[in-house]
């Protein structure tokens, strides 16, 4: 909002000015003075407040001042009003110019004022109601004490017959869709009509035009029509001034999540344009602005109780499915089976999607992040998950090659943590990468940038490229416990495994055969399913009912049935050496996690695990079926 | 720097570990314990400090401790050393394991330590000297109290026979080129040799590889060879470990200025890689990092005294050139004439280039920003200015259309200002744009982004699109004065002009003819040359001699010689109305400038000026030849 505005008086003619409440109107008496004038006096109507400002010192002027001031280039007037006019040009400031020692004015200059109120309003205090003219509506701060309006990316699909998210077109088909949008109100107060030629215009910048859309509901009582007024291809919209006290309601939707090069803030402006004469361009004389932040996509940690369990039905996993079903029936979860015609033989549902949510004071809903992995399950998120109040977002690299590290087994989030006094109330995102200088695989930049840009769950890069598959969920997860921190971190540990085996050997179980009596196992031996089982997705915040998801990778594949004993494992020198190396890789991650999540030894439980080196010197899990 | 590192003891075998001074080495006694062990005791050599940490409580262990501790997963050892080893594996920690109540150990585990010192060093305290292991070398803060090393973009050309800037290739041809670079030292201290297989590696990230280059001088006493070790296509470099106390000197150059998507910070890392066994990948066990900021390109305000005056020699400006020469001779300036074979008929040298500088503790030099304007003068900056210790940078849009607003008459900088308590010690950049919602011309995004990304002179966008040519220097400039703020802002003012003319009319000069007796004038009447004359470029900072530039647009073109009197001007109703509108445009800028530069009325001098509306309703100057 341009608070200070200069209006020039004009020599020998009447000047019309529209004054917007809350601003300062400055005018120089000097340049409109007749050449022979030396002093001036002032008259003004009652509702106008006039101050003479000389060298920074202000002095208020009485309504019908007899006082004379010396004319000087540094003497200016500051004009303010406190109420909207009921009639155009009904208020007035008159300057009388005098020759030296003259008692009769030799000339006059007049300023005719129309005072109006204009305020573009949003829910800047985040209480679900659009308050009037919040002084901080054009700025934005984070946190429970913060302020600033919030916008949801309209990434769900409220209209069943459409194939895409609601944000993809500039149409609104239902009131339900409007509910996902933030309200914005243009409040005006003033005379029946503005002076001729004045215009009120809503507008956005070119850079925001692909990030925000604004709708207006025409005739909100019978047969509503939703009109797209700002957004793609529409940078400005002339608003009809209706006079008196008016409130125009607009609906605003977000079109893009925060990302690299887009911190998430968008602005909408209203300007009052002044008319001067035919053939002279209109000039903006007042601008009011509001700022929205597009709500970030937030992941949920798996220490929260699951509400839904997703599992793939395969040709070969009938028993597994049955066991999961029994398990789920004992809880309050809902089992959601992804059938073969959707999964097309791809059981790795956890690698295809990641659940999160978006939230604003007026609304919130879950949003699935679709992985660039794109196996046979690739249509599942768009076709089965996207729907009313269930959003969809994806990031796919344009040029980069997609690797196994782009699967979302390689994307997790910690529970809330405090690190050296800094709190992460939504936890920190964990992704796996390669050693700093190894030049190995890394999650694709577009996904890393997206995660980083959400800001609220500052990602930590771990080192998972030492694994064949390379997912962080192969060696770590979190489990809920009662207590202050509410969780423990489970870490795979080869040294814990060797210790356990040596104990068992000493207890006389050296000839015990491995891989007997497992219950749940993954189809591919390189990936421990146990970590999958606790890998849940939880949406947990007050304004909408908990929606919690747990994904089971879903296998019961064939296992090598070689007869492997504890003695045999302990006697393999190469296996010992490989697992010493894998323990170093695990410890590298363990050290980073302790530092970046502020964990102590007491927060970590080392779970026995062994790995085997493949031909690329990467690790495959030796026990696929360990359960926590 | 990864301060904390876990090393696992190994059951029944000797563990070698290289310890880097300043880190903590953690080891768990538990996982290496024989199955039957219940307690342990510790022995260690004198130069090793060992603490037993139980549930967060640390207890120091005597060299030859008799004390027994209970084995437990949450009991760990913290090992530190304070001096580099003179021999590999010469220090030792031994753990003795006991059965319950046994007095003889049933097994041992040993940790053999080699302590070394590694430190990658830069001039983080900005005193021109590379100090040893500054604890804040991996972070960066602005200002006189700030810290962090600085890098220059090596954008000058020290080698005369090359056609491009020094940064364009990966070669160094002279010691002079090295002087533009920042020094970086790798300091190591330790035994003659590291344990077999260990490596020290310098590296950068892929994203920094197009922003920084590192050179090493081989054989610095006879016949030096400069070797490019990091940068484009070179992400890492293995450093030879020489033993004892060693200092390796590197030279670092910046390759890119800060810009959109690149805040200006680059990192260089050194890692120590641990060897385990044949066929097992090396693992990084220690990393040290340094951060450089690439020095921003800084503009100089024209209130500083000029040192050089650039002027174009044209077919038609012999008299003008002569007058400028006379003027320059009276000062300490140097006159630099741009001859016709270079300017090829383009006199608008001020629109083609903008002078600035870059500065680091070790060096600084002027850098010309070449405008995307590219008239016939387009080769002038690269061919005439680029040279030893005179840098060059340009930004050209890939797709956008270049407009008149991209000429650097539309790029100025204010003197140092303080705005509501916030200081801008280097002033603020001023560029002209269009009204927020007019969709008019705007300086091309790549140049705006570049200016913004330099951070230190936060740009202000003014409104210059109301002018035919559309440059901010058509209506404002700064002049030096004695006093606290050291300057006044000159603003063109049509109301000041009408006031002056009315006074002159009253004094009987109504029939005075305009446009008589001017001295310096521009060739094209739409652009007031007076603003050009005070449009100077000054480089002013302590570490290198002042280099100051003033550019004169250089014309003496034809003027309309119609007989125009003051009476005639005052009697034109349309001219009055047009200039009332132009005054509103000027006041819009004046109001912004007051706010964004923290100016008062006393800081501004309104200079009489008139404009005439063209067929596109934009303003051409009515007086091209007014001088300040």
């Amino acid at each position: 909002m341009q608070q200070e505005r200069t209006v020039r008086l004009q020599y020998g003619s009447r000047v019309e000015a529209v004054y917007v409440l809350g601003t300062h109107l400055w005018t120089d008496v000097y340049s409109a003075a007749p050449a022979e004038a030396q002093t001036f006096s002032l008259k003004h109507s009652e509702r106008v407040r006039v101050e003479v400002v000389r060298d920074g010192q202000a002095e208020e002027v009485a309504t019908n001042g007899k006082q004379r001031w010396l004319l000087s280039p540094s003497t200016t007037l500051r004009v303010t009003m406190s109420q909207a006019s009921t009639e155009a040009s009904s208020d007035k400031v008159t300057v009388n110019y005098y020759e030296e020692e003259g008692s009769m004015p030799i000339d006059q200059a007049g300023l005719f004022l129309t005072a109006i109120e204009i305020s573009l309003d949003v829910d800047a205090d985040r209480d679900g109601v659009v308050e009037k003219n919040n002084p901080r509506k054009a700025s934005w701060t984070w946190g429970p004490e913060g302020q600033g309006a919030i916008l949801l990316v309209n990434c769900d699909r409220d209209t069943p017959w459409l194939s895409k998210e609601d944000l993809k077109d500039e149409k609104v088909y239902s009131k339900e869709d409007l509910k996902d949008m933030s309200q914005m109100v243009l409040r005006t107060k003033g005379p029946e009509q503005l002076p001729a030629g004045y215009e009120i215009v809503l507008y956005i910048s070119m850079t925001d035009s692909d990030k925000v859309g604004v709708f207006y509901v025409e005739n909100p009582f019978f047969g509503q029509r939703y009109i797209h007024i700002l957004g793609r291809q529409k940078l400005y919209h002339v608003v009809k001034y209706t006079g008196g006290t008016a409130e125009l309601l607009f609906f605003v939707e977000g079109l893009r999540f925060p990302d690299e090069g887009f911190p998430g803030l968008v602005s909408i402006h209203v300007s009052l344009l002044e008319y001067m004469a035919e053939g002279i361009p209109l000039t903006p004389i007042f601008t009011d602005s509001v700022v929205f932040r597009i709500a970030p996509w937030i992941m949920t940690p798996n220490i929260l109780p699951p509400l839904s369990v997703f599992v793939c039905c395969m040709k070969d996993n009938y028993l597994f499915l049955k066991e999961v079903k029994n398990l789920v029936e004992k809880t309050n979860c809902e089992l959601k089976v992804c059938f073969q015609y959707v999964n097309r033989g791809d059981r790795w549902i956890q690698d295809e999607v990641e659940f999160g949510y978006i939230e604003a004071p007026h609304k919130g809903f879950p949003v699935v992040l679709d992985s660039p992995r794109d196996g046979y399950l690739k249509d599942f998120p768009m076709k089965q998950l996207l729907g009313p109040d269930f959003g969809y977002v994806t990031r796919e690299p344009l040029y980069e090659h997609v690797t196994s590290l782009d699967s979302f087994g390689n994307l997790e989030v910690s529970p809330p943590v405090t690190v050296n006094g800094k709190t992460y109330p939504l936890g920190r995102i964990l992704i796996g990468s390669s050693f700093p200088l190894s030049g190995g695989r890394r999650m694709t930049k577009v996904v890393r940038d997206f995660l980083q840009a959400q800001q609220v769950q500052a990602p930590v890069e771990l080192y998972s490229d030492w694994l064949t598959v390379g997912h962080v969920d192969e060696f770590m997860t979190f489990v809920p416990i009662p207590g202050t921190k509410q969780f423990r971190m489970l870490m795979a540990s080869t040294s814990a495994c060797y210790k356990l085996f040596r104990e068992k050997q000493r207890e006389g179980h050296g000839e015990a055969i491995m891989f007997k009596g497992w219950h749940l196992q993954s189809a591919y031996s390189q990936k421990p399913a146990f970590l999958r089982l606790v890998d849940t997705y939880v949406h947990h915040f007050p304004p909408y009912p908990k929606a919690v998801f747990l994904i089971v990778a879903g296998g019961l594949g064939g296992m090598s049935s070689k007869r492997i004993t504890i003695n045999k494992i302990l006697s393999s020198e190469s296996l010992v050496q490989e697992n010493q190396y894998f323990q170093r890789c695990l410890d590298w991650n363990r050290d980073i996690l302790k530092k970046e999540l502020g964990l102590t030894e007491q927060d970590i439980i080392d779970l026995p695990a062994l790995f085997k080196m493949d031909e690329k010197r990467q690790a495959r899990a030796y026990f696929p079926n360990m359960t926590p």
Side-chain angles (χ1 to χ4, degrees), chain A:
Chain A
M1 180 164 146
Q2 181 83 14
Q3 287 281 1
E4 315 283 325
R5 178 184 160 223
T6 299
V7 167
R8 300 275 165 182
L9 295 177
Q10 276 156 32
Y11 179 71
S13 73
R14 157 189 173 131
V15 174
E16 293 274 359
V18 171
Y19 168 83
V20 180
L21 297 195
T23 65
H24 291 148
L25 210 148
W26 292 86
T27 189
D28 73 325
V29 205
Y30 183 75
S31 61
E36 56 275 37
Q38 302 289 327
T39 62
F40 68 96
S41 71
L42 292 164
K43 280 205 300 190
H44 59 87
S45 50
E46 259 184 31
R47 293 188 304 182
V48 183
R49 181 166 186 255
V50 181
E51 290 159 293
V52 174
V53 181
R54 287 181 295 181
D55 305 324
Q57 297 296 313
E59 189 182 338
E60 191 163 347
V61 179
T63 319
N64 201 337
K66 304 272 183 230
Q67 200 179 342
R68 298 271 189 94
W69 286 271
L70 269 179
L71 269 174
S72 139
S74 67
T75 297
T76 50
L77 304 183
R78 181 162 61 195
V79 177
T80 49
M81 293 177 71
S82 57
Q83 275 179 35
S85 306
T86 47
E87 226 175 293
S89 307
S90 55
D91 285 291
K92 188 175 168 185
V93 178
T94 311
V95 182
N96 286 313
Y97 292 104
Y98 305 87
E99 274 188 307
E100 205 169 5
E101 291 167 33
S103 62
M104 289 295 291
I106 53 167
D107 206 343
Q108 281 197 333
L111 179 64
F112 289 78
L113 293 160
T114 306
I116 65 168
E117 223 177 313
I118 302 181
S119 162
L120 190 59
D121 289 332
V122 289
D123 178 16
D125 59 5
R126 301 178 192 162
D127 64 355
V129 178
V130 176
E131 68 273 14
K132 192 172 172 184
N133 211 4
N134 187 318
R136 298 197 292 166
K137 65 191 178 182
S139 64
W140 210 98
T141 48
W142 290 100
E145 305 301 313
Q147 51 75 40
I150 298 170
L151 213 56
L152 297 179
V153 176
N154 199 355
C155 61
D156 69 337
R157 187 188 56 195
D158 286 312
T159 315
W161 67 81
L162 291 180
S163 64
K164 298 272 183 181
E165 308 95 287
D166 291 338
L167 59 85
K168 289 283 163 108
D169 61 25
E170 283 74 52
K171 297 205 168 69
V172 172
Y173 295 99
S174 69
K175 275 190 187 169
E176 291 311 306
D177 194 11
L178 284 188
K179 285 182 188 159
D180 298 337
M181 303 188 194
S182 299
Q183 298 195 355
M184 179 174 78
V185 177
L186 178 65
R187 294 185 164 102
T188 54
K189 192 175 176 183
E192 282 306 297
Q193 294 204 312
L194 289 180
Y198 279 76
E199 274 186 8
I200 296 175
V201 179
L202 276 177
Y203 62 100
I204 53 176
S205 71
M206 178 74 92
T207 42
D208 281 352
S209 65
D210 60 342
K211 296 170 186 107
V212 70
V214 180
F215 293 86
Y216 176 65
V217 184
E218 207 167 63
N219 193 359
F221 300 105
F222 331 90
Q224 307 184 332
R225 278 183 58 210
Y226 308 105
I227 301 167
H228 181 246
I229 58 160
L230 292 177
R232 299 185 197 96
Q233 317 289 336
K234 285 186 190 146
L235 295 184
Y236 73 95
H237 172 78
V238 178
V239 179
K240 211 178 143 188
Y241 176 81
T242 52
T245 300
E247 297 200 352
L248 287 173
L249 178 61
F250 299 93
F251 296 87
V252 189
E253 68 176 2
L255 305 180
R256 277 186 57 192
F257 278 96
D259 213 331
E260 164 84 2
F262 170 45
L265 295 175
V266 293
S267 296
I268 302 179
H269 316 275
V270 65
S271 275
L272 177 64
L273 303 186
E274 185 177 47
Y275 173 81
M276 223 180 95
E278 191 64 32
I280 304 276
L282 297 177
T283 48
I285 58 167
F286 170 81
T287 298
D288 199 20
S289 301
V290 293
V291 164
F292 289 95
R293 180 177 290 282
I294 296 199
W297 180 80
I298 303 172
M299 284 176 64
T300 48
N302 57 6
I303 60 165
L304 298 177
L307 283 190
S308 307
V309 174
F310 287 83
V311 66
C312 282
C313 169
M314 312 303 295
K315 276 184 191 161
D316 58 4
N317 73 346
Y318 173 74
L319 285 172
F320 171 82
L321 225 64
K322 205 173 146 187
E323 287 198 54
V324 169
K325 205 174 164 188
N326 290 338
L327 216 64
V328 169
E329 270 168 9
K330 289 177 192 151
T331 69
N332 284 326
C333 293
E334 187 190 3
L335 185 67
K336 296 195 170 172
V337 179
C338 175
F339 292 102
Q340 277 177 265
Y341 73 93
V342 177
N343 69 49
R344 299 181 293 175
D346 183 355
R347 72 187 71 215
W348 300 107
I349 190 168
Q350 137 79 341
D351 285 336
E352 189 57 48
V353 295
E354 188 74 35
F355 289 112
Y357 68 93
I358 57 176
E359 188 193 7
H362 64 287
K363 184 83 182 264
F365 52 75
V367 175
V368 60
L369 176 63
D370 187 0
S371 157
R373 168 185 180 264
D374 287 351
Y376 288 113
L377 266 164
K378 86 185 168 70
D379 294 336
F380 162 72
M382 184 61 111
K383 290 203 172 150
Q384 304 271 303
L385 297 174
L386 174 66
D389 291 349
F390 205 121
Y392 174 92
V393 61
T394 190
R395 285 293 178 277
E396 302 208 358
L398 271 178
Y399 309 108
E400 268 182 299
H401 180 62
V402 170
T403 71
S404 172
L405 269 62
D406 293 315
S407 291
F408 286 168
N410 197 30
L411 169 62
E412 302 298 326
V413 69
S414 81
V417 288
T418 300
V419 188
N420 294 329
K422 178 164 173 52
T423 60
Y424 296 89
L426 299 164
R428 298 189 70 175
I429 286 174
L430 305 169
I431 58 172
S433 202
S434 49
F435 265 156
L437 76 167
S438 69
R441 294 172 295 176
R442 200 172 177 199
M443 184 178 275
T444 186
K445 186 170 176 334
V446 289
V447 175
R448 279 186 288 120
D449 286 347
F450 173 82
L451 298 171
Q452 191 79 51
Q454 308 311 309
Q455 295 190 50
V456 291
Q457 300 181 301
V460 177
E461 268 190 269
L462 298 172
Y463 165 50
S464 66
D465 191 37
W466 59 278
L467 291 147
T468 306
V469 171
H471 296 175
V472 290
D473 75 348
E474 294 180 80
F475 60 82
M476 57 149 301
T477 191
F478 301 92
V479 289
I481 54 138
T484 46
K485 278 202 179 172
Q486 300 287 346
F487 72 92
R488 289 281 183 275
M489 182 172 79
L490 305 186
M491 276 292 291
S493 169
T494 66
S495 57
C497 191
Y498 272 100
K499 177 157 180 64
L500 177 72
F501 283 3
R502 283 194 304 268
E503 273 170 27
K504 293 300 155 201
Q505 191 181 42
R506 180 174 153 269
E507 290 166 11
H509 302 301
E511 285 304 307
I513 299 167
M514 305 292 301
F515 314 132
K516 254 181 111 175
W518 63 84
H519 298 289
L520 299 167
Q521 67 182 36
S522 83
Y524 302 104
S525 59
Q526 73 270 29
K527 211 153 175 192
F530 87 97
L531 293 160
R532 290 299 165 86
L533 262 186
V534 285
D535 188 10
T536 60
Y537 300 79
V538 183
H539 302 248
H540 177 79
F541 56 93
Y544 81 97
K546 268 192 194 180
V548 188
F549 305 89
L550 175 144
I551 285 189
V552 176
L556 185 75
M559 261 303 300
S560 138
S561 54
K562 269 191 266 173
R563 200 180 169 279
I564 297 174
T565 62
I566 286 180
N567 285 340
K568 201 164 174 179
I569 286 174
L570 288 178
S571 68
S572 164
E573 270 308 311
S574 67
L575 195 66
V576 168
Q577 195 170 62
E578 286 169 12
N579 277 285
Q580 280 169 10
Y581 162 67
F582 297 139
Q583 187 60 51
R584 289 187 190 185
C585 298
L586 288 163
D587 282 336
W588 168 282
N589 288 298
R590 208 173 178 277
D591 291 340
I592 291 177
L593 285 161
K594 281 168 75 175
K595 184 180 162 208
E596 299 292 344
L597 302 182
L599 305 180
T600 65
E601 282 294 324
Q602 285 71 49
D603 298 322
I604 306 174
I605 296 171
D606 291 305
L607 280 187
L610 287 189
F611 299 87
K612 184 84 200 87
M613 202 174 261
D614 70 8
E615 62 287 350
K616 283 182 171 167
R617 306 198 300 180
Q618 286 168 322
R620 291 168 184 269
Y622 200 67
F623 313 145
N625 58 338
M626 185 170 54
T627 50

